[in-house]
Amino acid sequence: MKKMTLLLTLTVTLTAASAVPVQARTVSASCMLKSLMSNKTQTTKCDKENAIKDILKRCGIDLDKYNIPSSCPNSKPTATPAPTPQPTAKPTAAPTAAPTATPVPTAQPTAKPTAAPTAKPTATPAPTVKPTAKPTAKPTTTPNILSESAMEDEVLRLVNEERTSRGLNALKRASDLDALARAHSADMINRHFFDHTNPDGQSPFDRMRAAGISYRAAAENIASGQRSAAAVMDAWMNSSGHRKNILNATYTEIGIGAVKSSGGTIYWTQEFVER
């Protein structure tokens, strides 16, 4: 009775499986009986369906070629693919901010002056005076060499000439100032110095007081090496300090001392006072 029931069920199942071709539906009775004898236990619908499929396979029908619907769950669970491990993001080291070099401030150029620079004038050299041909004839007379006293007189004349030409009063020559001036010129020769202050530390004003000369204003000029009154006056007038003394309107008297050394060098001294 059980075998018959299975056979009927197989028939119904195959009949319902319209997708199975005719050759798959024709199964010999002897093949079915042999297969039914080996499948004695079919408890559930799914077991029965699997048994029928097994019978068909035994009878030479390859059901894998056909798309036959099945009410049984897939007995072979498909392996759940192992989840591919998501790669953890490699921690990137937080970049340390590279210190940016502080730019060196560029100096802003100052505006160029709009005024065009004027060309520097080139100094035109003064034309040199070509010397005239030297005379072949030698002078027959030797010029007069003035004495120291005569040179002192000439200095006085030249001083007053410079002063009066500028509207200043002429200076009077004083004998005590002459003696003081000559003494200082001689002292410079004898003690081998050239200065207003002597080796004893006396200034011109100290020497005046020592000589008993009183004054309200006083000054002194000295020189050495000039061979004439004109030469020494030229040197003094081209020196601002000496020129100032010669042309000072305050002074009223002068003393002059010209003394020649044994070697022929003349030392000159001028003393100026207002008494």
Side-chain angles (χ1 to χ4, degrees), residues 74-139:
N74 192 356
S75 58
K76 295 181 181 179
T78 58
T80 304
T84 57
Q86 295 296 326
T88 56
K90 293 182 180 179
T92 56
T96 56
T100 58
T102 305
V104 178
T106 56
Q108 296 296 323
T110 55
K112 293 182 179 179
T114 54
T118 56
K120 293 182 179 179
T122 56
T124 304
T128 56
V129 179
K130 293 182 178 180
T132 56
K134 293 181 181 180
T136 54
K138 293 182 180 179

Side-chain angles (χ1 to χ4, degrees), residues 120-206:
K120 293 182 179 179
T122 56
T124 304
T128 56
V129 179
K130 293 182 178 180
T132 56
K134 293 181 181 180
T136 54
K138 293 182 180 179
T140 55
T141 59
T142 303
N144 264 335
I145 297 175
L146 298 177
S147 65
E148 290 85 17
S149 177
M151 287 189 287
E152 292 172 358
D153 293 340
E154 182 64 12
V155 168
L156 177 63
R157 188 188 70 79
L158 293 172
V159 166
N160 283 332
E161 186 179 89
E162 295 286 355
R163 289 175 66 88
T164 56
S165 68
R166 292 170 175 81
L168 301 173
N169 61 298
L171 298 178
K172 294 179 182 179
R173 193 168 181 187
S175 59
D176 56 350
L177 293 177
D178 282 344
L180 184 68
R182 290 178 187 134
H184 188 60
S185 293
D187 193 24
M188 288 191 290
I189 292 171
N190 295 331
R191 293 204 276 180
H192 309 288
F193 73 95
F194 181 74
D195 202 326
H196 291 287
T197 302
N198 64 23
D200 299 327
Q202 290 180 314
S203 69
F205 316 108
D206 295 329

Side-chain angles (χ1 to χ4, degrees), residues 66-78:
Y66 310 104
N67 185 17
I68 300 173
S70 174
S71 58
C72 295
N74 192 356
S75 58
K76 295 181 181 179
T78 58

Side-chain angles (χ1 to χ4, degrees), residues 151-152 154-163 166 221 223 226-239 242-243 246-247 254 256 268 270 272:
M151 287 189 287
E152 292 172 358
E154 182 64 12
V155 168
L156 177 63
R157 188 188 70 79
L158 293 172
V159 166
N160 283 332
E161 186 179 89
E162 295 286 355
R163 289 175 66 88
R166 292 170 175 81
N221 284 347
Q226 293 78 11
R227 298 177 64 84
S228 66
V232 74
M233 278 298 295
D234 184 64
W236 280 332
M237 289 302 290
N238 283 286
S239 169
H242 298 91
R243 177 188 178 91
I246 292 170
L247 300 178
I254 188 173
I256 304 166
W268 307 82
Q270 288 179 321
F272 302 89

